[in-house]
Amino acid sequence: MGKTLFDKIWDSHVVQDIEDGPTQLYIDRLYCHEVTTPQAFDTLRDKGLKAFRPSQVFAMPDHNTPSDQQETINDPIGRKQVETLEANCREFGITCFSMGTKDNGIIHVVGPEKALSLPGMTIVCGDSHTSTHGAVGALAMGIGTSEVAEVLASQCLLQSKPKTMRINIEGELQEGVTAKDVALYLMAKMTTGGATGYAVEYAGSTIRKMSMEGRLTLSNLSIEMGSRAGIIAPDEVTFAYLKGREYAPKGKDWEKAVEAWRKLRSDDDALFDKEVSFRAEDIAPRITYGTNPGAGVAVDEHIPLVESVREAEREGFLSQLRYMQFQPGERLEGHPVDYVFLGACTNGRIEDFRAFASIVKGRKKHPDVVAWLVPGSWMVRQQIVDEGIDKVLQEAGFELRLPSCSSCRAMNPDKVPSGKLCVSTSNRNFVGRQGPGSRTVLASPLTVAAAAITGMITDPRTLL
């Protein structure tokens, strides 16, 4: 019997299998940011340990980084977290891409764009959206703080092997439909717990035609279905994206690496524990109406009626709507918008800014909408300038901000005020996620741009 891509990477990194216990895996890359690592470094200090292989660890602040200026962090807690990360990295000999430097950004944007994340790797970080890096053909997982300490000390990790699932998507996406819409569609169909206990491989003609940025968005949102990891087999799209980047192999080493990476695919006779299939033609631009990423509909559809929801789920459904100030059966298209946010590790890449600019070019921002446009890295910001996208945004009345997680997590000044509605490209719409009492509608960069121009939830296809 053949092997799945997940099994190939997992098996090649097994150090030992513990009888009636977890597997000890070797970890190729550990990423650290300022929020989940202080206790991990304290653990090493308490035990008198050094970082085992510091050259395989990379760190950067991102959650607390302001997007309006980066001379200082005014919040004392956030400033302390960033200063502590910098000090820990100096002490343990770990590379840290500091706030405001050209190497900085959101860790899940910087990793792939620097080719620190490569096919066949095992990659971990104390952040749930580490699944992003699976888009390059890596096994990437979010881990807890104690596990970060484990990897720092040994470059290994104890893990129970998840089951495998393949999600096949075939066909051509409609105009105006993006990878973000695909992910929101999958979450609505499978629910936010539909992939719990599985490592998901995305496959099919729709995935093969996706850009690298689109694949990164899709893999990023794997965790929102409960998946342990989201992975896409590397192909010519992957190799073209990675070639020539800072940490990619060079010369003959590149040729040798690509030769090995071509074998990173599920065998034709590989068996998955579960397989599901969808048609690209069924997917329209999506928006959410509730307080989990799976509570969504097509942008031109209505919120479900109470009687269409399973009886056991009705109270939760109504609770979400009360918080969001929506009604069962309501059509959200045309609903006024207060804020829009373009950015996050989900949609803070150059392709996302190109998409946003394609809608706003030659138009003007609605005067009642506050817009935060935040690149995922300084590299992305430079691309925006080099391509003249910054001028398009400026002429339309938008300000390009500085790289940061920004309003995705509201651990910095970009907080949506209580009661205000934000159409956002971020990954989560939990209660208060973008600020205490804030209300979040998740959508693609195109749909966010349409809302920014019209001042209301709008089908982006009407503006293309």
Side-chain angles (χ1 to χ4, degrees):
M1 187 185 301
K3 285 186 174 184
T4 68
L5 170 57
F6 171 83
D7 286 329
K8 288 180 179 181
I9 299 176
W10 178 281
D11 292 349
S12 68
H13 286 78
V14 171
V15 177
Q16 63 174 327
D17 286 309
I18 299 171
E19 188 175 353
D20 298 324
T23 299
Q24 185 183 35
L25 286 181
Y26 182 78
I27 300 302
D28 295 304
R29 185 77 72 219
L30 169 64
Y31 293 127
C32 298
H33 59 66
E34 75 273 28
V35 179
T36 57
T37 56
Q39 299 90 337
F41 284 107
D42 285 344
T43 298
L44 264 64
R45 216 173 271 115
D46 292 344
K47 295 181 180 296
L49 299 173
K50 297 180 179 179
F52 184 66
R53 288 194 172 159
S55 63
Q56 291 173 230
V57 184
F58 289 82
M60 71 193 69
D62 52 15
H63 282 58
N64 288 286
T65 305
S67 72
D68 56 345
Q69 58 76 35
Q70 294 186 355
E71 297 300 318
T72 187
I73 297 174
N74 293 321
D75 175 64
I77 296 175
R79 185 170 62 251
K80 179 66 174 175
Q81 287 185 326
V82 171
E83 290 172 349
T84 300
L85 176 67
E86 299 265 2
N88 282 328
C89 288
R90 285 193 298 271
E91 179 181 346
F92 287 91
I94 290 167
T95 299
C96 182
F97 299 138
S98 300
M99 184 177 78
T101 66
K102 66 178 181 61
D103 297 306
N104 184 252
I106 304 172
I107 204 158
H108 304 313
V109 175
V110 174
E113 75 179 10
K114 282 186 170 293
L116 284 165
S117 302
L118 294 171
M121 278 186 168
T122 49
I123 300 171
V124 295
C125 175
D127 186 282
S128 57
H129 293 104
T130 307
S131 57
T132 308
H133 307 267
V136 303
L139 171 52
M141 302 176 289
I143 58 175
T145 297
S146 62
E147 292 173 312
V148 172
E150 187 180 327
V151 178
L152 282 170
S154 67
Q155 209 58 40
C156 292
L157 180 66
L158 294 173
Q159 285 287 290
S160 297
K161 189 175 184 179
K163 294 180 289 185
T164 56
M165 177 192 296
R166 181 158 60 188
I167 298 178
N168 301 290
I169 310 175
E170 301 286 351
E172 295 279 349
L173 293 174
Q174 302 175 38
E175 185 181 26
V177 177
T178 72
K180 180 64 166 289
D181 300 303
V182 173
L184 292 174
Y185 177 84
L186 293 177
M187 285 183 272
K189 291 296 181 182
M190 296 181 61
T191 78
T192 51
T196 300
Y198 292 90
V200 169
E201 179 180 342
Y202 298 100
S205 61
T206 309
I207 306 302
R208 289 193 296 274
K209 292 172 186 174
M210 269 187 191
S211 66
M212 202 65 219
E213 287 88 352
R215 296 178 186 188
L216 288 160
T217 294
L218 186 60
S219 294
N220 173 274
L221 289 160
S222 302
I223 189 68
E224 308 306 337
M225 295 188 297
S227 174
R228 195 72 185 88
I231 190 169
I232 297 172
D235 57 14
E236 297 306 319
V237 173
T238 319
F239 309 148
Y241 176 86
L242 293 172
K243 188 175 183 180
R245 293 183 183 266
E246 185 176 355
Y247 287 87
K250 303 295 190 297
K252 290 185 178 180
D253 288 339
W254 170 260
E255 295 171 9
K256 185 178 179 182
V258 171
E259 183 180 355
W261 294 342
R262 292 188 193 280
K263 299 173 185 176
L264 290 174
R265 55 181 295 275
S266 292
D267 296 327
D268 293 339
D269 56 346
L271 288 180
F272 290 79
D273 294 298
K274 185 176 182 178
E275 289 209 49
V276 291
S277 297
F278 299 95
R279 297 188 309 168
E281 293 81 1
D282 294 337
I283 307 173
R286 306 284 299 182
I287 53 172
T288 59
Y289 59 80
T291 55
N292 74 71
V297 293
V299 68
D300 57 354
E301 291 180 342
H302 295 74
I303 295 173
L305 296 168
V306 175
E307 51 266 33
S308 70
V309 178
R310 289 194 306 175
E311 191 169 350
E313 298 172 355
R314 288 179 184 174
E315 181 51 43
F317 169 73
L318 290 172
S319 176
Q320 291 186 62
L321 293 187
R322 282 193 295 270
Y323 180 83
M324 291 298 295
Q325 301 175 29
F326 296 149
Q327 298 296 321
E330 182 180 353
R331 184 184 178 95
L332 292 185
E333 192 174 9
H335 195 287
V337 168
D338 304 301
Y339 283 71
V340 297
F341 171 52
L342 172 66
C345 59
T346 313
N347 286 116
R349 299 175 181 84
I350 186 61
E351 182 180 272
D352 304 310
F353 281 82
R354 290 171 184 156
F356 187 96
S358 73
I359 292 281
V360 306
K361 186 175 183 179
R363 298 183 168 104
K364 291 292 183 182
K365 182 182 79 67
H366 193 281
D368 295 336
V369 173
V370 176
W372 290 326
L373 313 186
V374 187
S377 72
W378 282 94
M379 185 182 292
V380 172
R381 196 177 196 279
Q382 188 60 52
Q383 285 178 286
I384 291 169
V385 173
D386 291 344
E387 295 182 18
I389 294 173
D390 61 324
K391 300 228 175 9
V392 172
L393 300 176
Q394 187 177 20
E395 288 168 5
F398 295 95
E399 174 197 359
L400 180 65
R401 295 170 79 91
L402 305 179
S404 163
C405 285
S406 184
S407 182
C408 176
R409 190 64 182 88
M411 293 183 69
N412 50 72
D414 296 349
K415 294 177 174 63
V416 177
S418 180
K420 298 297 184 180
L421 183 69
C422 180
V423 181
S424 173
T425 64
S426 49
N427 39 51
R428 286 177 174 163
N429 53 346
F430 299 164
V431 171
R433 173 79 177 184
Q434 292 191 282
S438 62
R439 300 182 295 143
T440 300
V441 170
L442 299 179
S444 77
L446 292 175
T447 304
V448 168
I453 293 297
T454 63
M456 64 184 88
I457 295 174
T458 301
D459 188 333
R461 294 172 294 190
T462 64
L463 298 180
L464 289 172

